[in-house]
Amino acid sequence: MVLARVANLFSTADSANSIVNDHRANVTNTMEKFESPVADTVGRAIEEDEIDDEAAQPPYIHAMLAGGIGGTTGDMLMHSLDTVKTRQQGDPHMPPKYTSMGNTYYTIWRQEGFRKGLYGGVQPAFLGSFSGTVCFFGAYEWSKRTMIDYGIAPSVSYFMAGLFADLAAAPAYVPSEVLKTRLQLQGRYNNPYFNSGYNYRSTIHAARTIAKVEGYSALFHGYKATLWRDLPFSALQFAFYEELRNKAKRFMGSNNIGLPLEIATAASAGGMAGVITTPLDVVKTRIQTQHNDIPTSSTAAPKSSISPTTSPKHSTHTKPSKPRPPPSRPISTSSPSTTLKAHGAATLDTSSVMTGLRIIYKTEGIAGWFRGVGPRAVWTSVQSGTMLVLYQTLLRYFEQHPLVKIEEV
């Protein structure tokens, strides 16, 4: 009897312990079930905040204005360096007058001044930059959002949106690019220090002269070459930028990555894209700055562009006693780092990008494709950094001071 009671006592104690343990397990499981959805929800929210900017889509007018102001500011800030690049790439002289970036900058500034020399062609650059970047960012935002909404991977969407945006903006900026490039190569009017083969008094005079002598289609010289350069550049630039910015947000654990990282990601994206597309930029510059002297009638001879041996002051008159110039101005394909050949050794008389690349490669090899890569790398880095940082800054400003009230539309 006593043994039975003792056994019952132990069994009662075991039952109590079992109940307590079961209760603890139930509490633990309940807490885990409660914490799990919360943790998953928080984790998903953090990931979405870090890598999904599409949730907060700015109005198109905000994106276009922010992009236009940012792009124009970057272009104006770096216009002098762009002039240095253009002089190095389009110099028709053999051996070339301009070699290193610093030497070219100093020589142009000392001989021709800041406004007429380093900032030659700034008027068409300003007009083309603003109109082109407004069109670009509107098309970029629309195409990027549309592709992502259709389930296309973000990295592919960024790349393809950059291609489409530049294609949409090209008609707005290619004519200004032709005027800008020729005026940059020319420098000051009646330039005694550098004979580019051009001698325009102003932007309006340049546009009228080109339209009258060469036809309106000449304002679109190098259109295909410009697309060949800018389509891959924009695609690579924004693909690099979006990916680098996403990595920076994951590193910082926030959408606000701070100004230093904003500048670093934007400048790195522009610099890498600029270096990769330098060969296409070299061909584009030379196609747009070469003279097209093929006469179309007996009256075309006096209107042909001047040859390098003609005085700029009498550029519009050709003496009958002198032999006619070749179909196009000999464009130097030399590089400061290669052995220079005779002036007539290479002539870039084509509008084909691939043919131009082959001519440059046969003349001086890979180094010729990357002529002016130094100023281009610096230019694209600083221009992209300025443009994209201002773009993000202005978007945040417009979000706080909306130009369009979405809820009222």
Side-chain angles (χ1 to χ4, degrees):
M1 190 69 176
V2 174
L3 291 175
R5 289 179 179 176
V6 171
N8 289 335
L9 179 62
F10 279 107
S11 63
T12 302
D14 292 339
S15 299
N17 290 335
S18 177
I19 292 172
V20 171
N21 291 334
D22 290 343
H23 179 70
R24 288 176 178 173
N26 290 335
V27 171
T28 302
N29 291 334
T30 302
M31 291 297 294
E32 289 177 353
K33 290 179 180 179
F34 176 76
E35 291 174 355
S36 180
V38 174
D40 292 342
T41 302
V42 172
R44 283 195 300 270
I46 292 174
E47 289 178 1
E48 290 174 358
D49 286 342
E50 287 177 348
I51 64 175
D52 186 14
D53 278 336
E54 275 55 62
Q57 296 176 343
Y60 288 114
I61 186 64
H62 290 179
M64 294 168 73
L65 281 178
I69 295 171
T72 304
T73 302
D75 286 341
M76 295 301 98
L77 181 65
M78 300 306 297
H79 184 83
S80 60
L81 196 60
D82 187 52
T83 300
V84 170
K85 173 191 72 72
T86 301
R87 289 285 182 97
Q88 287 187 351
Q89 291 179 344
D91 186 355
H93 303 95
M94 299 292 282
K97 177 178 180 178
Y98 305 110
T99 53
S100 67
M101 181 171 61
N103 170 265
T104 305
Y105 201 101
Y106 175 73
T107 301
I108 297 173
W109 173 75
R110 179 173 54 85
Q111 293 181 344
E112 305 171 43
F114 191 78
R115 187 172 67 90
K116 295 292 186 180
L118 290 172
Y119 266 75
V122 71
Q123 294 91 349
F126 177 85
L127 296 175
S129 177
F130 185 77
S131 59
T133 47
V134 165
C135 295
F136 179 92
F137 277 93
Y140 178 77
E141 285 294 330
W142 178 83
S143 55
K144 178 182 72 172
R145 298 175 193 182
T146 300
M147 285 187 282
I148 289 177
D149 289 342
Y150 274 95
I152 299 175
S155 57
V156 177
S157 299
Y158 303 147
F159 186 87
M160 296 304 298
L163 285 174
F164 176 77
D166 222 305
L167 188 65
Y173 68 75
V174 169
S176 69
E177 184 78 3
V178 172
L179 294 171
K180 173 188 77 79
T181 304
R182 291 192 180 190
L183 290 169
Q184 283 178 316
L185 189 64
Q186 167 192 309
R188 54 186 287 189
Y189 181 61
N190 286 336
N191 193 344
Y193 303 103
F194 183 74
N195 185 5
S196 65
Y198 297 104
N199 198 35
Y200 305 119
R201 288 191 297 269
S202 63
T203 301
I204 295 177
H205 179 248
R208 287 177 176 173
T209 303
I210 293 172
K212 181 180 180 181
V213 175
E214 306 174 52
Y216 287 100
S217 61
L219 290 171
F220 288 87
H221 276 171
Y223 184 85
K224 289 188 293 183
T226 302
L227 292 181
W228 270 80
R229 179 199 67 175
D230 287 348
L231 290 181
F233 172 78
S234 297
L236 290 170
Q237 178 189 30
F238 278 86
F240 289 152
Y241 174 65
E242 299 279 9
E243 290 300 322
L244 289 173
R245 199 162 183 271
N246 286 338
K247 291 182 183 297
K249 287 188 286 185
R250 284 193 289 268
F251 174 77
M252 296 295 292
S254 170
N255 272 340
N256 187 4
I257 62 176
L259 183 60
L261 275 179
E262 287 279 11
I263 296 174
T265 53
S268 299
M272 290 188 293
V275 170
I276 293 171
T277 56
T278 295
L280 301 173
D281 185 52
V282 172
V283 173
K284 190 274 308 179
T285 298
R286 294 177 185 177
I287 288 176
Q288 287 185 329
T289 56
Q290 70 182 4
H291 287 283
N292 297 290
D293 293 328
I294 301 175
T296 56
S297 66
S298 60
T299 60
K303 296 181 180 180
S304 62
S305 301
I306 66 172
S307 65
T309 58
T310 306
S311 173
K313 194 170 184 179
H314 306 287
S315 60
T316 58
H317 301 284
T318 304
K319 295 182 179 179
S321 59
K322 291 186 177 180
R324 294 194 57 79
S328 65
R329 176 170 68 99
I331 301 296
S332 166
T333 54
S334 65
S335 170
S337 61
T338 59
T339 302
L340 301 176
K341 298 185 178 182
H343 187 38
T347 301
L348 196 63
D349 56 351
T350 178
S351 60
S352 169
V353 173
M354 298 306 298
T355 302
L357 287 172
R358 283 197 296 268
I359 292 173
I360 296 171
Y361 178 75
K362 288 179 181 178
T363 305
E364 53 184 308
I366 296 293
W369 285 356
F370 288 90
R371 187 175 182 182
V373 66
R376 176 165 172 79
V378 176
W379 184 90
T380 53
S381 296
V382 178
Q383 193 273 346
S384 295
T386 304
M387 177 183 71
L388 295 173
V389 169
L390 273 178
Y391 177 69
Q392 296 293 340
T393 303
L394 289 171
L395 283 183
R396 288 192 290 268
Y397 176 82
F398 289 145
E399 184 179 0
Q400 298 172 359
H401 307 84
L403 301 175
V404 178
K405 295 186 180 299
I406 304 300
E407 63 274 12
E408 295 179 1
V409 177

